Amino acid sequence: MSCDNAICKFNDLYSIPGELFFKEGNGGLTTVCINNKYASAEISLHGAHVMSYTPKGEKPVLWMSGSSYFQPDKPIRGGIPVCWPWFGGHPSDKNKPSHGFARITDWHIAETDTKPNGTLLILRLTEKDIPANLREFPFEIKLEVLVGSELHVGLAIVNTGKEKMSFSAALHTYLNISDIASVAVEGLDNCKYLDTLDHIFKVQKGIITFNAETDRVYLNTQTACIIDDPGFSRRIKIAKSGSNSTVVWNPWIEKSKRMPDFGDEEYHTMLCIETTNAENDARVIAPAERHILKAIIGLEKKERG
Ligand code: BG6
């Protein structure tokens, strides 16, 4: 039987029987579904966006808003948005989309494969795939996603041009938690951070707990963070490489109300720990040079005493 639509063609070329297939997801967005002995996951080609990751027998590790858009021109609210080539607002043109164009562009499939430790999906984007008004330099970026007992997400950025390339970036990870008021983040004790709410540099003392809007860029840190979540009896570990900065974000009450694609009460059950190249960790790479920003997300089961 010959294929007469894109999903069928993707399945013909790239599906792995019993492990990986393509479907039309929310809003008609092409979605890669992975299910193996370790975990299940869904990844949208729109934004190379990991939308869900659930190890076998566990609650979802990633959070997704019930109010998210699933539209070609808008980012998805939840999962792991890929923010590139700028994090936050564009450095010089405030009319350009927040957090770059990678998360609102449709990516191509480069490879699918079965590995000993999980299922591999590689997606690819170049300057040819983005609208001319957003094109600033030639590039090739690939998102490598390995779905196993841990979730590995690596953004490989190659400068394919003739000039130096500057960028900032984030794997803007939304984690699913029981209750923002009862979780704590470990791993950033004594770390200097920029408090984005008052633009003052501060120093973290001890664990991070939450009782108000929180929007911080932790600087000069390569360590893993752990979300200790007593309500879900688990600890989520976010390890990383190629990153010297970590963003911690929860919008709390008022900002939640201002965001059209975020439910007013949803801030209770999400927390972003973002693996970034932000602020003084923005990067410059030479022609042909490659930088890999990587997050490794997994569960540490809490000992029951
Ligand atoms: C975080 C920023 O990384 O992303 C916040 O620190 C921002 O300031 C948040 O509000 C969400 O951004 P956006 O563009 O997805 O609404």
Side-chain angles (χ1 to χ4, degrees), residues 222-281:
Q222 301 175 355
T223 53
C225 286
I226 291 183
I227 302 178
D228 185 48
D229 187 345
F232 279 171
S233 297
R234 70 181 189 182
R235 288 159 62 81
I236 304 176
K237 182 175 181 183
I238 305 106
K240 61 177 187 164
S241 60
S243 162
N244 288 328
S245 51
T246 298
V247 169
V248 177
W249 179 60
N250 181 287
W252 214 252
I253 299 166
E254 295 308 322
K255 190 162 182 173
S256 296
K257 290 183 184 161
R258 291 198 299 274
M259 292 191 291
D261 57 343
F262 192 105
D264 289 359
E265 299 297 327
E266 286 188 325
Y267 73 92
H268 291 289
T269 56
M270 58 70 67
L271 175 60
C272 285
I273 304 288
E274 306 169 32
T275 297
T276 61
N277 294 131
E279 293 296 328
N280 67 351
D281 188 28

Side-chain angles (χ1 to χ4, degrees), residues 75-77 81 83 87-88 98-99 103 170 172 174 196 213-217 247-249 251 255 259 261 272 274:
I76 294 168
R77 176 72 70 195
C83 305
F87 173 76
S98 162
H99 288 324
R103 69 175 181 165
H172 191 307
Y174 289 78
T196 313
E213 183 179 351
T214 304
D215 196 347
R216 302 173 180 173
V217 188
V247 169
V248 177
W249 179 60
K255 190 162 182 173
M259 292 191 291
D261 57 343
C272 285
E274 306 169 32

Side-chain angles (χ1 to χ4, degrees), residues 98-115:
S98 162
H99 288 324
F101 50 72
R103 69 175 181 165
I104 49 169
T105 308
D106 285 357
W107 292 47
H108 301 280
I109 300 147
E111 190 181 332
T112 58
D113 201 3
T114 302
K115 298 287 181 192

Side-chain angles (χ1 to χ4, degrees), residues 60-80:
V61 170
L62 300 179
W63 177 90
M64 177 60 65
S65 171
S67 302
S68 177
Y69 297 117
F70 294 97
Q71 285 177 214
D73 58 336
K74 293 208 161 61
I76 294 168
R77 176 72 70 195
I80 311 183

Side-chain angles (χ1 to χ4, degrees), residues 157-222:
I157 301 149
V158 179
N159 180 353
T160 54
K162 294 187 168 57
E163 312 285 332
K164 285 182 180 171
M165 177 207 272
S166 309
F167 60 86
S168 51
L171 298 169
H172 191 307
T173 309
Y174 289 78
L175 286 321
N176 178 36
I177 57 169
S178 62
D179 179 6
I180 189 68
S182 66
V183 300
V185 176
E186 302 168 9
L188 294 167
D189 187 21
N190 281 322
C191 192
K192 184 176 168 183
Y193 65 91
L194 175 63
D195 189 331
T196 313
L197 300 176
D198 56 14
H199 303 284
I200 294 175
F201 288 98
K202 301 172 185 173
V203 176
Q204 180 65 40
K205 288 293 162 207
I207 57 171
I208 311 171
T209 54
F210 301 87
N211 57 15
E213 183 179 351
T214 304
D215 196 347
R216 302 173 180 173
V217 188
Y218 285 83
L219 303 165
N220 308 322
T221 174
Q222 301 175 355

